[in-house]
Amino acid sequence: MTEPRTAQGTAQKVPHSVPTRLANGLRQLLGSIYPAHDATTLIEEVVSAFFGPEGQVRRRGRVPANSLWSEKDNYVITYGNTLVDGEHKPLDLLYDFTTRYLEGAFSGVHILPYFPFTSDDGFAITDYRQVNSQLGDWEDISRIAGHFRLMSDLVLNHCSSQSAMFSEFLQGHEPWDRFFFTASPDDDLSGVVRPRTSPLLRAVETANGIRHVWCTFSHDQVDFDFSNPRVLLEFLDIIRGHVERGVRTMRLDAVAYLWKELGTPCIHLRQTHEVIRLIRLLCDYCEAPVVLITETNVPNVENLSYFGNRNEAHMIYNFALPPLLLHALLGGTSKYLNAWQMAMPPAQLGCAYFNFSASHDGIGLRPAEGLVPEEEMQEVIETVQGFGGLVSLYARPGGSRPYELNVSLFDAFAGTHAGRDGHQMERFLCCQAIVMGLEGIPAFYIHSLVASANDHDGVEKLGYNRAINRRRLDYGELRAALDDPESMRSKVLSRLREMVRLRSAQPAFHPNATQFTLQLGEPFFGFWRQSLDRAQSIFAISNLTPHARSIPAMSLNLIDGDEWSDLLTGEPVKPLSGEIVFAPYQTRWISNRQKTQ
């Protein structure tokens, strides 16, 4: 096992001057987060940990702007070992898959934790500085980063209980003896909000006696104590190592729970936001264009707070979108999706939404709280269970509640509340077209891209619900299916790839292009996008029902004199006259510019 390292042992007065604005920003933040510590010393240690003794610091920090992304940006989410063949390194297979089937359409790849781990499919990390040898090595990671914008996970709330760091804690060795958060069973923890129902505290024997360590997620995932600045310095050093390896998007996993304070819910605390601001400030002065994204699977208003005042996350997951899309397409109504979209503020300058419909964790239900009535969301849950889906719970004062649906997204659209039907593929593609069209940057889970089915055998074998959508795919079998134009996997990936290529050529789909929600009645969900230079307009409209429907052309603001057409079909659309017909679950991107690719 790799020996733990700490920035405490390498901290030194940095050999380069710190820009005044950076120093002032760090002084303010560090003074607020760690008021009992000397800010000047901490500034030197922070800069040394993040930039390294030879690192380059920009003389001026990046200011919030729309230059870090464009309409060409998107991400594919995958585990490092989703593809296997029993012969090659999984990261070799992932490289082959991404360059063979994705390059030229998809621009970014999010590889879920690819480090040594003990549980939770990679989120209980033992060593943040090594690649899991069963997957490959840093050379494999950097090779993928040479073709795609690479997103990596910074699991900074907790690590594995079998990590070298926790072993040092148990032995009472400095500085690790203060690296993990502890509490007493006698403390009032009834108000703590967390996404699990397991006991929060775990008793462990240490050189300093019995300690009760804090475990937000599981007893194999022990929470760090960020009130100790050594912990922050350790993670800044880890970030630097990842950036040097080619990582350009850093996902702050479970960051909402980072700071603990007894007597509070221990979620979204002031210091948590200030730690994110500090990391963002450092990234703004980094030569490499590093983008931060926060993973906070919480109700919508709470999630939006992680943009800060354009000084926290560059991107936030649009967590309310997946359950709202599911509700809309299973029930054939845009009622709540529309209401939510109308109330959503445009992302601030220098910020963007990260739009997705499914992930390795499933479809979170908490973000829909307050947006969809409980009885209607319960109907969604029961319908998805009828298609083989499962439900996970979370703990909150007063008892447990549904936390997420665990299901393959393709299987979630096997039918509607009325039962299974023959529109599974059309419903699924409609969902993906909406994700692509909305303000923000779209992301696609690999199992959604290739139309994977529910993996009930995996759930039975591994013993947890999330395994239903984490199947390991035999790469030879997958390639055979993808190379067969008649297979469902091939049809879905080909169609999605075509749509992504088309989307990437439309300035009106820039992540920050203007968006206005259309009022077309519950069977439709539509919005207008306009490019930053106002030259292109796109009316993105989806029929959410299994029936053919139409809208009057006059219901859209199709400027007379422009030539309008549906980018997805090439059909011309005449302003001010006639009906625009939609097949079941059809999406149209009606634009005043001809499609280009």
Side-chain angles (χ1 to χ4, degrees):
M1 181 180 294
T2 304
E3 288 298 313
R5 297 185 337 195
T6 173
Q8 183 183 42
T10 60
Q12 54 187 293
K13 188 173 179 65
V14 291
H16 40 67
S17 61
V18 179
T20 301
R21 285 181 178 270
L22 174 58
N24 290 343
L26 290 174
R27 186 176 303 278
Q28 180 181 15
L29 289 165
L30 291 168
S32 179
I33 301 169
Y34 303 111
H37 295 261
D38 179 68
T40 300
T41 300
L42 278 180
I43 289 172
E44 294 176 357
E45 293 177 326
V46 162
V47 173
S48 180
F50 187 85
F51 295 102
E54 306 298 331
Q56 296 296 312
V57 182
R58 290 170 58 97
R59 300 313 303 164
R60 294 183 179 180
R62 293 182 183 85
V63 297
N66 296 329
S67 56
L68 288 174
W69 43 69
S70 76
E71 60 273 12
K72 299 183 185 302
D73 283 296
N74 53 66
Y75 289 84
V76 172
I77 305 166
T78 181
Y79 280 101
N81 62 348
T82 295
L83 307 175
V84 295
D85 68 357
E87 180 180 354
H88 299 90
K89 292 183 294 184
L91 287 176
D92 272 345
L93 301 180
L94 181 59
Y95 175 80
D96 185 80
F97 172 79
T98 55
T99 54
R100 181 186 299 269
Y101 294 105
L102 305 184
E103 199 163 23
F106 299 89
S107 62
V109 175
H110 172 201
I111 307 178
L112 292 155
Y114 45 82
F115 314 101
F117 72 100
T118 53
S119 64
D120 198 17
D121 279 347
F123 286 90
I125 296 173
T126 60
D127 190 339
Y128 291 81
R129 294 182 172 88
Q130 299 295 325
V131 173
N132 183 349
S133 60
Q134 296 182 10
L135 302 181
D137 52 34
W138 277 116
E139 183 179 349
D140 299 310
I141 294 294
S142 297
R143 183 166 60 149
I144 294 172
H147 288 257
F148 300 88
R149 184 179 184 98
L150 178 62
M151 183 190 298
S152 183
D153 283 277
L154 189 70
V155 184
L156 73 175
N157 179 71
H158 52 263
C159 71
S160 169
S161 66
Q162 299 178 50
S163 66
M165 286 187 286
F166 193 65
S167 176
E168 295 287 323
F169 167 83
L170 295 177
Q171 296 174 67
H173 295 164
E174 295 184 351
W176 313 100
D177 58 334
R178 295 192 304 112
F179 254 58
F180 297 91
F181 195 84
T182 61
S184 167
D186 297 327
D187 292 326
D188 182 7
L189 306 176
S190 60
V192 174
V193 174
R194 50 193 292 259
R196 298 291 185 274
T197 56
S198 56
L200 176 60
L201 301 182
R202 173 190 173 189
V204 294
E205 176 112 25
T206 78
N208 299 314
I210 297 292
R211 306 283 293 277
H212 293 85
V213 292
W214 191 282
C215 301
T216 297
F217 290 88
S218 77
H219 281 188
D220 187 40
Q221 294 164 292
V222 189
D223 286 33
F224 290 107
D225 184 357
F226 270 84
S227 69
N228 173 9
R230 301 295 116 193
V231 177
L232 172 65
L233 294 173
E234 182 74 6
F235 275 97
L236 295 179
D237 184 74
I238 289 168
I239 292 174
R240 174 169 57 86
H242 291 186
V243 172
E244 290 173 351
R245 301 286 191 175
V247 173
R248 292 296 177 265
T249 304
M250 193 70 63
R251 177 182 184 265
L252 305 184
D253 177 71
V255 69
Y257 307 99
L258 180 140
W259 198 276
K260 286 82 175 169
E261 192 171 296
L262 298 180
T264 75
C266 296
I267 185 172
H268 312 315
L269 297 189
R270 169 183 62 84
Q271 296 91 334
T272 292
H273 285 279
E274 290 176 338
V275 168
I276 297 171
R277 286 176 204 149
L278 186 143
I279 297 173
R280 166 67 180 267
L281 179 62
L282 292 167
C283 288
D284 285 343
Y285 280 86
C286 182
E287 286 292 337
V290 178
V291 168
L292 293 182
I293 178 170
T294 49
E295 187 267 334
T296 49
N297 191 358
V298 293
N300 198 50
V301 173
E302 299 170 31
N303 188 36
L304 288 169
S305 71
Y306 285 87
F307 277 143
N309 185 22
R310 302 187 303 173
N311 58 357
E312 293 188 35
H314 294 94
M315 298 192 293
I316 63 171
Y317 279 77
N318 216 340
F319 273 112
L321 183 58
L324 286 168
L325 283 173
L326 194 60
H327 175 275
L329 285 160
L330 295 185
T333 173
S334 63
K335 181 178 180 179
Y336 302 113
L337 180 62
N338 229 38
W340 164 78
Q341 186 57 53
M342 289 176 62
M344 282 290 283
Q348 304 170 63
L349 184 67
C351 300
Y353 292 112
F354 190 76
N355 296 325
F356 70 110
S357 53
S359 73
H360 61 292
D361 284 344
I363 298 173
L365 299 176
R366 279 207 71 201
E369 292 176 7
L371 301 176
V372 180
E374 285 190 31
E375 62 273 15
E376 293 197 33
M377 191 50 68
Q378 183 58 39
E379 185 180 17
V380 169
I381 292 171
E382 291 172 2
T383 296
V384 172
Q385 287 177 312
F387 301 149
L390 305 172
V391 183
S392 295
L393 306 177
Y394 78 102
R396 61 174 297 165
S400 300
R401 298 188 63 180
Y403 179 71
E404 68 187 11
L405 280 167
N406 304 112
V407 64
S408 146
L409 186 66
F410 194 70
D411 277 358
F413 289 123
T416 67
H417 296 320
R420 294 179 182 268
D421 60 24
H423 295 295
Q424 182 176 19
M425 182 172 175
E426 291 82 2
R427 201 160 25 240
F428 171 81
L429 290 175
C430 178
C431 173
Q432 300 309 293
I434 293 173
V435 169
M436 291 185 216
L438 284 170
E439 175 194 345
I441 297 171
F444 310 88
Y445 185 41
I446 188 170
H447 281 296
S448 299
L449 277 184
V450 298
S452 290
N454 290 327
D455 183 13
H456 289 286
D457 290 341
V459 173
E460 184 175 350
K461 177 181 178 181
L462 298 173
Y464 53 88
N465 287 354
R466 286 178 168 178
I468 199 170
N469 199 25
R470 298 179 179 179
R471 185 193 299 269
R472 302 289 173 255
L473 300 176
D474 180 276
Y475 189 50
E477 294 177 2
L478 178 64
R479 279 198 57 190
L482 293 178
D483 294 340
D484 175 7
E486 297 304 313
S487 77
M488 184 60 73
R489 290 192 187 276
S490 177
K491 289 178 180 179
V492 168
L493 180 57
S494 296
R495 187 72 181 113
L496 289 176
R497 189 167 50 206
E498 177 187 347
M499 292 169 67
V500 168
R501 281 200 188 102
L502 182 59
R503 177 198 185 275
S504 298
Q506 313 307 322
F509 283 147
H510 184 284
N512 300 110
T514 298
Q515 178 169 286
F516 181 82
T517 308
L518 303 175
Q519 303 302 318
L520 301 171
E522 288 192 26
F524 291 94
F525 178 59
F527 45 91
W528 169 66
R529 303 293 308 278
Q530 186 180 56
S531 59
L532 298 175
D533 64 4
R534 299 190 177 183
Q536 183 186 27
S537 286
I538 296 177
F539 292 88
I541 304 168
S542 298
N543 176 6
L544 304 178
T545 75
H547 310 290
R549 294 183 181 273
S550 65
I551 59 172
M554 290 185 66
S555 64
L556 305 181
N557 187 25
L558 304 180
I559 300 172
D560 199 16
D562 285 354
E563 293 187 6
W564 296 87
S565 64
D566 179 1
L567 296 174
L568 292 169
T569 65
E571 299 173 50
V573 177
K574 295 182 179 180
L576 307 180
S577 64
E579 295 282 312
I580 303 174
V581 179
F582 291 76
Y585 300 107
Q586 182 178 7
T587 294
R588 292 188 182 274
W589 290 343
I590 300 171
S591 175
N592 60 342
R593 279 181 48 160
Q594 300 300 311
K595 78 173 184 178
T596 57
Q597 294 190 47

